[in-house]
Amino acid sequence: MPGHDYRIVIEKTNVNHLAIIAPHGGSIERRTSDIARAIAGDRYPYYLFEGLDPNGSFDELHITSHRFDEPLCLNLVKTVDTVVAIHGCNGDQQEVLLGGLHTELKNKIAYYLREANLETELNKHKFQGRHQSNICNRGRLKAGVQIEFSDALRGAKEEAIAISAIKRALSELDG
């Protein structure tokens, strides 16, 4: 139920080429809303689907990314070229796993994350985000990026380093 189990947050800007989303925010995948907001800043529009149960709501509210069809999110992503989706994954090692069909942007993000000495994986993981229906691939270019922050990285001091690296890569898209 909206307002009790979950909430939706949308912030729009004048940018029409890129949006940041956290489809599993709040208590669904810990800290992904915070990370998405930090990456978006006041520059990029963003969308958050946030679980509100303080004990966690992954089992109740997690919708696989290629089935995510919340109308307000779909309305936002169809107005931008590229979607960057922020997710959380299990992991005791601080790492970022990258997926999605926007190979150029994915490689650019990987470059800056590695330059910041953060463990980054492009291929050897299960979150490839290659399904055409994946929410990250539903922008106008039909190619976006899925960024998975491991449990160990979310909330650690290196989280801010990762956010800065990602913002640096995205700023190059702005020209």
Side-chain angles (χ1 to χ4, degrees):
M1 174 182 295
H4 181 266
D5 299 313
Y6 69 89
R7 76 173 155 237
I8 294 170
V9 178
I10 300 175
E11 283 293 326
K12 295 186 178 178
T13 68
N14 293 330
V15 171
N16 66 357
H17 66 81
L18 181 77
I20 310 296
I21 67 168
H24 307 134
S27 62
I28 305 169
E29 292 174 348
R30 179 181 65 82
R31 292 205 46 77
T32 58
S33 291
D34 302 310
I35 294 167
R37 267 193 203 95
I39 291 170
D42 59 5
R43 183 176 202 124
Y44 303 112
Y46 66 86
Y47 167 94
L48 313 172
F49 184 90
E50 300 184 306
L52 298 176
D53 185 340
N55 297 314
S57 51
F58 183 91
D59 292 335
E60 296 80 16
L61 295 176
H62 186 274
I63 300 167
T64 307
S65 293
H66 70 275
R67 292 192 174 140
F68 194 85
D69 63 354
E70 196 287 311
L72 295 172
C73 185
L74 294 178
N75 286 338
L76 173 63
V77 302
K78 74 181 181 184
T79 67
V80 297
D81 295 334
T82 305
V83 177
V84 174
I86 306 303
H87 296 268
C89 63
N90 293 328
D92 296 333
Q93 178 180 335
Q94 289 186 2
E95 64 182 342
V96 180
L97 311 176
L98 298 172
L101 295 174
H102 197 308
T103 304
E104 179 185 349
L105 181 56
K106 186 169 53 174
N107 288 335
K108 190 176 300 280
I109 291 170
Y111 171 82
Y112 284 113
L113 287 167
R114 288 174 177 150
E115 187 179 69
N117 294 315
L118 293 167
E119 216 35 61
T120 306
E121 184 57 56
L122 288 158
N123 301 308
K124 298 175 186 170
H125 62 83
K126 64 180 181 177
F127 304 107
Q128 291 299 308
R130 296 192 174 282
H131 198 287
Q132 193 63 52
S133 294
N134 185 304
I135 193 65
C136 78
N137 297 321
R138 290 201 195 163
R140 290 188 299 236
L141 294 179
K142 305 296 182 205
V145 178
Q146 180 168 309
I147 304 176
E148 300 272 349
F149 281 71
S150 69
D151 280 329
L153 181 56
R154 285 178 278 147
K157 67 178 185 203
E158 290 82 3
E159 177 188 281
I161 296 168
I163 290 167
S164 293
I166 293 165
K167 288 173 78 167
R168 193 167 168 202
L170 296 179
S171 72
E172 289 190 11
L173 264 185
D174 296 340

